[in-house]
Amino acid sequence: MELQEYLRVFKDYWRSALATLFLCIALAAGFTLLQTPIYTANSAVFLTVESGGTAGELSQGATYAERQVKSYVAVATTALVLDPVINELDLDLTQNQLAKRLTVTSPTSTSVIRIEARDSDPQQSAKLANAVARSLQDAVQELSPPGPDGARMVSATVIDQAVEPASPTSPNPVTNIALGALLGLLLGFGQALLRSILDTRLRTSADVERVTDAPVLASIGTLDTSAGRVENATGNQWANAEAYRRLRTNVGFVGLGGERRSSMVVTSSVESEGKTQTVTNLARVLAQAGESVLLIDADLRRPQIAARMGVDSELGLSDVLSGRGTLQDLTMQVAPNLSVLAAGTVPPNPSELMGSQAMAQLLATAEKQYDYVLFDSPPLLPVTDAVVLGAQTGGTIVVARSGQVRRPQLEAALGLMDA
């Protein structure tokens, strides 16, 4: 994905991304407040070796002491060291429980053993660190082997007494909230990206262009109309007039069906995508440009053109196709250059009527009399009416409503037109 795509994803899902961010920060803050403060105190013990006065003997003693450090680090958390501490401080802890509160380490290449004690009471943490240091000192004295003169070869000295810590080492509010914010950013953008991938609804012209090589004729905003509302006959007050003029211009440039024919079908993939609104407004702008237009309601299942244009719907297309009327008799002029043929009686076999010889004759007659013949047909996926009708006309305009139709639906609908 390019940077522009990531920005689009954030623009679409910024609310949920910010909600995730704030939730993670709130959880981090709550976690921090619920944690028990832990205080840490440190003490240190230094190991020395009793040796001769020559340089060689001193060097050997120092090397021996360093080799012993790891052993004494392990000894510091054994019962030999911790049991006396438990008894001295009268602790209600086992040796293993106390060992978990301690961290005993030795810096590389040194003879220093550092003891870190943790407790919820700052004073108690200092007592623990100092008591363990003293007990380790005694253990070294006990475990160290005797030299030739009977003196212990290794001895321990407490070189750093623990003091009562002034502030807790955990929790760290700044660190926790910073980590919560970082996690919130990652989760927020991650969920937005995942939702964008899983959401197959088409939202922009670029989304449509990725589905098909067919040209996008226009991008039109939401219109404030309804199926039962009669539109202004002059066409001067409905929204997005400029977008429909652009659609009119682009339709004029498209050689539908490989040749310049005046008839076209306007349909959609599924219901509620605005195909009827589109075809009626396209008919108006074409008529305003001086073109003679015949608008035919070929949606014989849910006809809406008559209600939108304010004409009688009792007789219409189905009656012309069944021979109960003629195109000239049932066509009604609703504005200069604009005539309407309503759907008429709802038949039981709309698809058969769309592919009938009577429809071919009606189409041939209408194309001779009008500059444009526009058909409003049912959606492509539920029924085949638009596919059958589109095969006889100059071409098909498919309306795709942003946020309504999904990528697989549009792909399937266009596939029906290509079949």
Side-chain angles (χ1 to χ4, degrees), residues 112-287:
V112 177
I113 297 178
R114 297 194 177 279
I115 301 166
E116 180 181 282
R118 297 175 297 276
D119 197 273
S120 57
D121 182 354
Q123 185 178 14
Q124 183 70 1
S125 67
K127 289 181 178 180
L128 280 176
N130 289 326
V132 172
R134 290 193 299 270
S135 183
L136 178 60
Q137 184 180 25
D138 296 338
V140 170
Q141 179 68 19
E142 180 179 346
L143 296 176
S144 177
D149 57 356
R152 298 295 179 180
M153 294 185 62
V154 181
S155 62
T157 304
V158 178
I159 60 173
D160 193 3
Q161 292 283 345
V163 295
E164 182 177 334
S167 59
T169 53
S170 69
N172 189 322
V174 175
T175 301
N176 289 349
I177 291 177
L179 290 175
L182 178 60
L183 180 63
L185 288 174
L186 294 176
L187 291 180
F189 189 76
Q191 63 84 28
L193 190 61
L194 180 62
R195 289 177 61 187
S196 176
I197 294 173
L198 297 179
D199 185 4
T200 59
R201 288 177 293 181
L202 301 178
R203 300 183 182 276
T204 65
S205 298
D207 294 336
V208 176
E209 291 171 351
R210 282 191 285 267
V211 173
T212 177
D213 293 331
V216 176
L217 300 179
S219 179
I220 301 171
T222 303
L223 303 177
D224 185 18
T225 58
S226 60
R229 175 182 171 185
V230 178
E231 297 183 51
N232 187 338
T234 64
N236 292 326
Q237 297 180 0
W238 46 272
N240 293 306
E242 187 60 35
Y244 279 103
R245 295 189 187 100
R246 189 179 306 111
L247 174 61
R248 175 189 66 194
T249 301
N250 290 336
V251 165
F253 281 116
V254 176
L256 298 174
E259 60 184 33
R260 189 66 181 93
R261 293 182 60 185
S262 61
S263 60
M264 65 190 72
V265 176
V266 179
T267 184
S268 60
S269 303
V270 294
E271 296 180 352
S272 303
E273 290 198 70
K275 63 177 182 58
T276 301
Q277 187 65 47
T278 300
V279 72
T280 54
N281 288 335
L282 176 59
R284 289 189 182 281
V285 293
L286 286 170

